[in-house]
Amino acid sequence: MPPKEKLLHRRVFILLPGNLEQAGSVSGDVRRELVALGVEQDIVRRAGVVCFEGEMNIAMYSEGGRIILLVADDRVELLFSDRGPGIPDIELARTPGYSTAPDWARELGFGAGMGIPNMEHQSDRLEIRSRLEGGTVIRAVFRRGRG
Amino acid sequence: MTVAEVVERLELEALAAGELKATVAGGYCSDLLSDVLAHAQSGDMWITHQRHMNVVAVAKLKEVAAVILVRGAAPSAEMTGRARSEGVTILRSSASAFQVAGRLYQLLEG
Ligand SMILES: Nc1ncnc2c1ncn2[C@@H]1O[C@H](COP(=O)(O)OP(=O)(O)OP(=O)(O)O)[C@@H](O)[C@H]1O
Ligand SMILES: [Mg+2]
């Protein structure tokens, strides 16, 4: 890995639990900020999707958390962290189709079990760490300046 | 074909009008948000039964040409309000998803 370049931008979004209606809003803000900073359109698109999925999981499964957006010359990062039950089996949670979403959420179109797989697919690197009865931290990295 | 032309040919009702001159590239039919996030393409018409705020967020993220609500589903005023402020087009049909998808397919590929 080349040395990390200086940060251009850092922003923290606080997320409350259970508020799915409000939950789409951080991905919109992230998208707007990335556009304003002149970040490549492809990364704006991918980061928007990753942010939405991470945001929804925090809203649906945790007791609240936050999302930090970092922008540097060489990369964009999204850091999701929450307080909550944690993910007992991360391999299982990464499996397409695996979901513990409650029925009310499924009626709204959540629960395909595609959120984490989408986050992996749309980012250049995705790290998940979780502690039972503690919470979950997910780091998504998007590399800039390459096709 | 533009969104406006599809509105006319499929007799859709515009509940929130964004860019009606946008070109329609294709269509995607799904009620699962993560599935749409994974597979819809920009410029698609997204056909769905879902009608809540997150639909607007997903439509915006995927840059779909428009959302078509089927079976006459009525969205909340909040949803159409958000769609308007975000420039997302929300259309409605009284027909079923099957019929709307079939007719759209015929228009675009037939
Ligand atoms: N922040 C979190 N805290 C605790 N559990 C989580 C968290 N995020 C995900 N999970 C668990 O991992 C599972 C898979 O998550 P994923 O986002 O892939 O699918 P989903 O949320 O169930 O459905 P979709 O995202 O397709 O609507 C969830 O059902 C849940 O059990
Ligand atoms: Mg999810």
Side-chain angles (χ1 to χ4, degrees):
Chain A
M1 284 270 276
K4 287 189 174 172
E5 289 180 47
K6 174 167 128 271
L7 270 187
L8 299 174
H9 188 76
R10 179 178 189 278
R11 180 103 141 81
V12 182
F13 302 91
I14 304 295
L15 289 177
L16 303 173
N19 194 341
L20 290 189
E21 297 274 293
Q22 167 229 272
S25 66
V26 179
S27 57
D29 288 350
V30 161
R31 205 184 141 85
R32 273 185 285 277
E33 293 197 7
L34 293 177
V35 169
L37 289 164
V39 170
E40 300 78 352
Q41 195 182 26
D42 165 63
I43 294 185
V44 174
R45 287 207 179 112
R46 293 191 289 131
V49 170
V50 169
C51 188
F52 184 86
E53 296 288 13
E55 197 181 344
M56 287 303 154
N57 283 352
I58 291 176
M60 204 168 327
Y61 304 111
S62 86
E63 287 146 31
R66 60 184 190 173
I67 300 175
I68 302 176
L69 169 68
L70 301 175
V71 182
D73 281 333
D74 63 334
R75 71 195 190 285
V76 170
E77 289 191 20
L78 284 168
L79 301 166
F80 305 86
S81 56
D82 68 59
R83 271 178 303 103
I87 302 178
D89 184 339
I90 292 175
E91 271 321 297
L92 190 58
R94 298 169 100 111
T95 310
Y98 174 79
S99 175
T100 63
D103 285 346
W104 63 263
R106 289 177 194 260
E107 276 167 28
L108 298 173
F110 297 98
M114 288 303 297
I116 293 174
N118 277 352
M119 292 171 87
E120 292 191 304
H121 187 245
Q122 299 290 336
S123 57
D124 294 312
R125 185 187 174 91
L126 194 82
E127 294 164 10
I128 306 177
R129 254 165 293 165
S130 194
R131 198 157 44 81
L132 278 187
E133 305 305 330
T136 301
V137 178
I138 298 183
R139 174 171 175 250
V141 182
F142 307 85
R143 292 194 193 92
R144 301 184 65 186
R146 284 165 185 250
Chain B
M1 182 159 307
T2 65
V3 174
E5 288 171 297
V6 174
V7 167
E8 200 188 305
R9 302 286 290 275
L10 297 191
E11 295 164 50
L12 304 172
E13 181 188 350
L15 303 176
E19 187 46 81
L20 296 180
K21 291 192 192 111
T23 301
V24 177
Y28 198 72
C29 191
S30 178
D31 292 336
L32 296 170
L33 302 184
S34 290
D35 177 60
V36 174
L37 286 167
H39 300 298
Q41 303 290 318
S42 104
D44 276 354
M45 289 282 212
W46 173 20
I47 299 165
T48 186
H49 296 87
Q50 297 295 353
R51 49 192 168 97
H52 52 85
M53 297 290 266
N54 296 128
V55 170
V56 179
V58 169
K60 184 84 187 169
L61 285 171
K62 295 307 286 187
E63 297 165 8
V64 296
V67 177
I68 306 180
L69 304 178
V70 294
R71 281 216 172 284
S76 62
E78 213 188 355
M79 177 185 164
T80 44
R82 167 85 78 90
R84 275 187 211 106
S85 68
E86 298 265 1
V88 170
T89 301
I90 308 284
L91 307 170
R92 174 162 66 179
S93 171
S94 54
S96 72
F98 177 74
Q99 287 168 324
V100 171
R103 291 173 66 190
L104 181 63
Y105 187 88
Q106 229 171 13
L107 270 187
L108 297 175
E109 320 259 341

